[in-house]
Amino acid sequence: DQQVKQNSPSLSVQEGRISILNCDYTNSMFDYFLWYKKYPAEGPTFLISISSIKDKNEDGRFTVFLNKSAKHLSLHIVPSQPGDSAVYFCAASTSGGGADGLTFGKGTHLIIQP
Amino acid sequence: DAGVIQSPRHEVTEMGQEVTLRCKPISGHNSLFWYRQTMMRGLELLIYFNNNVPIDDSGMPEDRFSAKMPNASFSTLKIQPSEPRDSAVYFCASSLAGWDGGYTFGSGTRLTVV
């Protein structure tokens, strides 16, 4: 049973436009959410996170929104750049971002078209 | 900082052979995680350690899999005997418990069992 779901395996966006990646979760015990970015032949790299006490966190071009009642979060990238082409993983934790294991979604392959 | 170092980067072995994957976490990090990535199941947590002690190994698929962390700077994941269905990319990650920046992943070991 997948507790973290990314229902779009891929997403194509034009350069300069907004990219919106979605993630749903089923475990109401999750209290911390993260997004990771992965290039081919590399490990995932941490992008941005949000605690369940917040509904928005922003870092430069990246903003994560959390809707706890809907058990939904999204990552907005604006403006999208060619270097943003990668696989994006949504992850969740029941105990903060460090000590315990993260549960990952299967990822969304974002393709930024020139 | 050299990051999380995994070796080997690629491993091809015959079914039935023993395989040992190695990981050196970031100095000062006190949590270490082993993940496996496959197309079907995405990123799965296999086992994690806090302060060199295994905390949760419920993700280890079978008794053929074992992991050790003899000290704070080294961990191994062993598969004995290996099977073709073990073919995957295995990632090691480390973190500092209590920090909200998520994990740092290694570049992974691509294992192919023929």
Side-chain angles (χ1 to χ4, degrees):
Chain A
D1 179 33
Q2 257 196 301
Q3 298 186 61
V4 177
K5 300 177 184 180
Q6 294 178 256
N7 292 320
S8 298
S10 66
L11 175 67
S12 184
V13 175
Q14 201 165 12
E15 182 180 356
R17 306 294 291 267
I18 184 171
S19 295
I20 300 176
L21 296 95
N22 294 303
C23 177
D24 298 295
Y25 61 95
T26 58
N27 188 344
S28 57
M29 299 299 292
F30 287 143
D31 61 2
Y32 200 81
F33 304 89
L34 307 91
W35 285 93
Y36 283 79
K37 176 179 179 180
K38 184 182 181 304
Y39 293 119
E42 295 182 9
T45 56
F46 170 72
L47 194 57
I48 192 169
S49 62
I50 187 167
S51 165
S52 60
I53 63 174
K54 297 183 178 180
D55 55 16
K56 177 183 174 181
N57 188 27
E58 190 172 354
D59 183 2
R61 297 186 297 113
F62 303 90
T63 303
V64 56
F65 295 92
L66 175 62
N67 182 335
K68 283 184 294 183
S69 61
K71 293 190 175 69
H72 176 83
L73 63 155
S74 61
L75 174 68
H76 292 211
I77 307 172
V78 57
S80 300
Q81 299 175 353
D84 297 330
S85 294
V87 177
Y88 289 79
F89 291 96
C90 172
S93 168
T94 57
S95 59
D100 294 339
L102 296 176
T103 301
F104 283 84
K106 288 190 175 181
T108 296
H109 185 193
L110 176 65
I111 301 163
I112 305 301
Q113 296 186 337
Chain B
D1 194 336
V4 175
I5 300 172
Q6 290 187 247
S7 63
R9 285 299 306 271
H10 302 273
E11 176 80 38
V12 180
T13 190
E14 291 186 347
M15 181 175 62
Q17 296 298 307
E18 176 181 301
V19 176
T20 299
L21 311 181
R22 296 173 175 80
C23 176
K24 176 179 169 54
I26 290 175
S27 177
H29 282 190
N30 55 1
S31 294
L32 183 139
F33 309 83
W34 282 99
Y35 278 84
R36 176 172 72 174
Q37 184 184 23
T38 61
M39 290 293 292
M40 289 296 294
R41 302 176 69 90
L43 273 164
E44 302 174 275
L45 176 64
L46 300 177
I47 184 171
Y48 73 93
F49 298 81
N50 283 344
N51 298 313
N52 311 339
V53 176
I55 302 300
D56 184 355
D57 66 354
S58 60
M60 297 285 259
E62 299 172 33
D63 291 344
R64 298 184 295 106
F65 286 69
S66 63
K68 293 182 179 180
M69 192 165 186
N71 57 62
S73 59
F74 185 65
S75 176
T76 60
L77 177 68
K78 185 178 293 186
I79 308 172
Q80 163 67 13
S82 58
E83 296 183 3
R85 60 191 166 127
D86 302 331
S87 298
V89 181
Y90 291 80
F91 288 104
C92 174
S94 69
S95 74
L96 184 60
W99 179 59
D100 62 359
Y103 305 165
T104 301
F105 280 83
S107 297
T109 295
R110 180 174 293 279
L111 174 64
T112 303
V113 183
V114 298

